[in-house]
Amino acid sequence: MKVHPSQLIPGCVVAEDIPGKTGRPIMHAKTVLTEDLIDILHCFLIEEVEVLTRLEDGIPFVPGQKIIQKDEQEEKPAPIDLPFTEFYTWTVEQYKRMFVGWRNGKDVQINQVRKLIVPLLERVDEIGLRLYNLHKLSTKKDYVYHHAVMMGLLSAFLAKKSNYKHEWIQVGIAGFLADCGMAKIDENILYKAGTLNTAEYEEIKKHPVYSYRMVEHVSTLSQGIKLAILQHHERLDGSGYPLGVGGEKIHPYARFIAISDIYHAMTAERSYQKQQSPFKVIEEILYEQFGKLDHPLVENFISSLTNFGTGTQVILSNKQQAEIVFIEAKYPTRPMVRLHSGQQVISLKDDLSLYIEEILS
């Protein structure tokens, strides 16, 4: 729809490039308007702007109508009585609203963050192995938001399994906030449909610093959380970013997030990548990231992922259904399985072309 700048509100999405007096665009399509950007349109004496019919967060846009922001509404308790998967989806949607606010210049409100993510973290035990199927809910469009919530969930889950009895919630909060700095990345880079070029990738690599700056002065966050946010892309061999530190200089919290980050990034659907099997991904993490990630934590991650017994029903990468009949300790991701069709028994460790695609029960 076409409207005068006086009718615009923050959150409107520009549908077409807005040309200036010289003919060159002063704003590009897909720009999400802020109050400052709307002021710029007035300064350039723009008479008409083509915008989408919905705001960035999906709310229908009514020209000239003030939209009450989430943090201006009466706070409602999280709907924790929802089934876990639905509660997870609700949390992703609320994170998206937070993210839009950060992109528009709002500060991180740690009380809101805790109220959002902690109830989800506290339910992580009830989902069990199904936690590793949540990557299927992630979409190309909303990957950024799913990724943040999954980093929080997986990091907390792994920390809890690693006997961080009193700190696993803190690890989860760090994972949840690790990518908040993505809100400061140019949208054309963040939502690019395709592989990033070198310059774009270098800009993406700045997000841990942006994230750290956004929480640096939050007094109610521990230094451990802040360091984990800054260091979640660092690697033990010093090959990570943004600082290239390694070994004992990397905070333990960051090591949990690093594994969770890689796992979800590799399993989720993205603009340039289809969903991948958790079991195939975990094998790649084990062998390709050796020396870069905390190996005992990786093994613990694998152990929690493969905590199934004989009789478990699975789907293989060739789409055949099978039943696990024997698990060899050295090869937890590659058990012996009996095919439903023909009752043939296959050892997955001897047939590397096959792997478990999904756990059924």
Side-chain angles (χ1 to χ4, degrees), residues 117-166:
I117 191 60
V118 171
L120 185 68
L121 299 181
E122 290 177 336
R123 292 182 61 183
V124 73
D125 285 339
E126 74 183 61
I127 193 172
L129 290 177
R130 288 178 295 148
L131 175 65
Y132 296 98
N133 287 331
L134 289 179
H135 67 280
K136 294 182 178 180
L137 300 178
S138 181
T139 63
K140 296 177 183 179
K141 178 182 177 182
D142 286 340
Y143 166 78
V144 171
Y145 318 117
H146 282 272
H147 188 60
V149 177
M150 282 302 297
M151 279 200 295
L153 268 175
L154 290 167
S155 299
F157 181 73
L158 181 54
K160 195 172 187 182
K161 294 295 182 182
S162 301
N163 293 319
Y164 273 58
K165 296 180 180 179
H166 305 293

Side-chain angles (χ1 to χ4, degrees), residues 12-294:
C12 283
V13 182
V14 176
E16 298 178 355
D17 288 356
I18 303 173
K21 297 293 185 181
T22 63
R24 297 179 62 184
I26 59 174
M27 287 183 200
H28 294 285
K30 298 184 180 179
T31 297
V32 178
L33 296 177
T34 63
E35 291 182 1
D36 289 341
L37 292 178
I38 294 172
D39 286 343
I40 289 174
L41 295 175
H42 286 293
C43 290
F44 275 84
L45 302 178
I46 301 299
E47 294 293 331
E48 200 172 55
V49 179
E50 183 79 22
V51 295
L52 301 183
T53 57
R54 289 183 177 272
L55 300 178
E56 162 63 13
D57 59 6
I59 297 174
F61 169 52
V62 179
Q65 175 179 313
K66 174 178 170 59
I67 301 298
I68 300 176
Q69 298 298 323
K70 182 71 176 177
D71 56 5
E72 296 175 355
Q73 298 174 2
E74 180 182 354
E75 287 195 18
K76 298 179 181 179
I80 57 176
D81 55 336
L82 289 175
F84 187 93
T85 301
E86 293 179 30
F87 188 39
Y88 163 82
T89 302
W90 178 86
T91 303
V92 171
E93 286 301 314
Q94 303 313 304
Y95 175 82
K96 183 176 180 179
R97 289 174 178 268
M98 278 188 180
F99 192 89
V100 172
W102 297 334
R103 192 163 60 207
N104 290 332
K106 291 187 177 181
D107 294 330
V108 173
Q109 300 295 323
I110 197 59
N111 286 339
Q112 292 181 10
V113 168
R114 292 183 190 277
K115 287 179 181 178
L116 177 59
I117 191 60
V118 171
L120 185 68
L121 299 181
E122 290 177 336
R123 292 182 61 183
V124 73
D125 285 339
E126 74 183 61
I127 193 172
L129 290 177
R130 288 178 295 148
L131 175 65
Y132 296 98
N133 287 331
L134 289 179
H135 67 280
K136 294 182 178 180
L137 300 178
S138 181
T139 63
K140 296 177 183 179
K141 178 182 177 182
D142 286 340
Y143 166 78
V144 171
Y145 318 117
H146 282 272
H147 188 60
V149 177
M150 282 302 297
M151 279 200 295
L153 268 175
L154 290 167
S155 299
F157 181 73
L158 181 54
K160 195 172 187 182
K161 294 295 182 182
S162 301
N163 293 319
Y164 273 58
K165 296 180 180 179
H166 305 293
E167 299 173 83
W168 65 277
I169 289 286
Q170 300 301 306
V171 175
I173 291 172
F176 182 72
L177 288 173
D179 276 5
C180 66
M182 287 291 191
K184 306 304 181 183
I185 301 292
D186 186 291
E187 292 177 72
N188 295 321
I189 297 175
L190 188 60
Y191 302 113
K192 181 179 179 180
T195 305
L196 300 176
N197 61 37
T198 301
E200 291 166 339
Y201 181 57
E202 289 301 316
E203 179 61 21
I204 286 287
K205 286 168 65 176
K206 296 177 183 177
H207 80 267
V209 175
Y210 296 153
S211 298
Y212 177 75
R213 295 301 182 199
M214 289 172 66
V215 302
E216 183 180 12
H217 300 295
V218 178
S219 60
T220 53
L221 281 182
S222 70
Q223 189 62 20
I225 290 178
K226 295 174 185 178
L227 276 176
I229 289 170
L230 178 63
Q231 295 180 339
H232 71 281
H233 278 286
E234 301 290 0
R235 299 293 178 258
L236 294 180
D237 63 358
S239 63
Y241 62 85
L243 304 176
V245 298
E248 296 303 314
K249 293 183 179 179
I250 300 177
H251 196 278
Y253 293 2
R255 303 181 188 203
F256 291 112
I257 302 172
I259 297 169
S260 304
D261 179 30
I262 293 173
Y263 171 83
H264 186 255
M266 292 178 68
T267 55
E269 180 185 40
R270 304 173 72 176
S271 59
Y272 52 86
Q273 167 187 291
K274 295 181 179 179
Q275 290 179 351
Q276 298 186 69
S277 160
F279 299 92
K280 182 180 179 182
V281 165
I282 204 67
E283 288 178 356
E284 291 183 28
I285 291 175
L286 180 62
Y287 296 110
E288 295 183 13
Q289 299 292 327
F290 188 82
K292 296 178 180 290
L293 301 175
D294 190 313

Side-chain angles (χ1 to χ4, degrees), residues 289-308:
Q289 299 292 327
F290 188 82
K292 296 178 180 290
L293 301 175
D294 190 313
H295 194 69
L297 289 186
V298 173
E299 290 186 327
N300 202 5
F301 191 75
I302 294 172
S303 176
S304 63
L305 173 63
T306 57
N307 187 27
F308 40 60

